[in-house]
Amino acid sequence: GGKKWSPIIAMFLSLLIPGLGQMYKGQVINGLVWLVLTAIGYVAFIVPGLILHLLCIVGAGTGNPNK
């Protein structure tokens, strides 16, 4: 089997830093993309940043990690 991961921990990490939960799951490139996109969203205007951050958190807690 693959490495065990916790959706709760992944979501919490992405709450702290967007993309960190994806990195925790082994999806480093995906995590970096989320980090950059969310930062751009916050800089452009707070609402897109919040929406992207929320989507990032949900994405971190769902799906399968890389093996």
Side-chain angles (χ1 to χ4, degrees), residues 16-51:
L16 295 177
I17 299 173
L20 193 57
Q22 282 82 357
M23 292 181 213
Y24 160 74
K25 288 174 23 178
Q27 301 171 345
V28 177
I29 301 289
N30 193 11
L32 291 172
V33 170
W34 272 113
L35 178 63
V36 170
L37 288 178
T38 304
I40 290 170
Y42 276 125
V43 169
F45 192 64
I46 196 80
V47 173
L50 288 172
I51 292 169

Side-chain angles (χ1 to χ4, degrees), residues 43-64:
V43 169
F45 192 64
I46 196 80
V47 173
L50 288 172
I51 292 169
L52 287 170
H53 201 158
L54 180 63
L55 291 173
C56 177
I57 293 167
V58 171
T62 59
N64 294 321

